[in-house]
Amino acid sequence: MPPLYWFCLIGGFAVTLVLLVVGEVLEAALDALDGALEALDLGDAFDPLSSVAGVTLFGGAGVLLDTYAGLATAPEVAVAVLVGVVGAVVLHVVYVKPMQQSENSTGFSVREYAGKTGELATGVPEGGFGEVVVRMGASTTFQTAASFSGHAIPTGTRVVVVEVDADGVLRVAPLDTDDFAESPEQVGLPPRLQTRA
């Protein structure tokens, strides 16, 4: 059994080293492996990282038990397998599972900004661009903004995103139109966005 233990120990370290050095290159291969494992419907109980760690721990425990414990072959293999399985499960529960859950996308499309309110961090000059702060879910984002009507809007003004243009620039209008024009028509707001008559 010692050759098997050494093979698992050295092989596990080699796979880990290869993943560290050329991990980006092998990412597609591991994704394919994940896809194959999902096709087997093993659920979340199996992942390549935990498996490599389990095999490495099996080999290391086997080498140590063979060298120092003086056990018979069957108990030695049983303890080494137990150490490998427990180590793989602990790694999966403590590290892999939380990392998979943190990878859940919190992304959103720029088109989702339409209708959101925000505040200008940088004023929008007439015919120019500024910056608007908009909250999207738990995120606070800074986006390029332009005036929907073409009129200047000062810094700190509460605005609504009327539309998003093809370049991803947010076209905004002030929420309180009385401060910027005598009538909503001068500001250029659609009737549904007028906050005061």
Side-chain angles (χ1 to χ4, degrees):
M1 287 308 275
L4 175 64
Y5 297 146
W6 280 107
F7 176 77
C8 290
L9 180 63
I10 293 170
F13 279 130
V15 168
T16 303
L17 183 63
V18 166
L19 289 176
L20 287 174
V21 173
V22 292
E24 294 297 322
V25 175
L26 296 177
E27 188 173 335
L30 290 176
D31 286 344
L33 178 62
D34 283 342
L37 295 173
E38 286 175 12
L40 295 175
D41 198 23
L42 297 173
D44 291 336
F46 180 82
D47 66 90
L49 178 63
S50 299
S51 302
V52 169
V55 168
T56 306
L57 288 171
F58 164 77
V63 168
L64 291 174
L65 290 170
D66 187 57
T67 304
Y68 298 110
L71 297 174
T73 303
E76 182 179 282
V77 170
V79 171
V81 166
L82 182 65
V83 167
V85 168
V86 168
V89 169
V90 167
L91 178 67
H92 181 79
V93 170
V94 172
Y95 179 73
V96 174
K97 189 102 171 154
M99 293 304 282
Q100 286 174 340
Q101 290 173 345
S102 72
E103 288 177 1
N104 289 339
S105 175
T106 58
F108 43 84
S109 167
V110 70
R111 302 283 170 228
E112 293 179 44
Y113 282 107
K116 299 287 184 186
T117 59
E119 184 174 320
L120 287 180
T122 305
V124 178
E126 190 169 325
F129 298 96
E131 188 174 49
V132 63
V133 179
V134 181
R135 288 193 53 83
M136 290 293 285
S139 301
T140 301
T141 65
F142 291 80
Q143 301 295 322
T144 303
S147 176
F148 180 71
S149 66
H151 293 90
I153 308 172
T155 300
T157 304
R158 296 277 304 150
V159 294
V160 63
V161 179
V162 179
E163 66 183 11
V164 180
D165 70 13
D167 296 326
V169 175
L170 307 184
R171 300 288 174 175
V172 299
L175 282 176
D176 188 1
T177 60
D178 290 343
D179 296 338
F180 305 101
E182 293 180 11
S183 70
E185 291 76 24
Q186 286 180 304
V187 176
L189 291 178
R192 63 185 171 79
L193 294 175
Q194 297 172 7
T195 56
R196 294 185 191 171

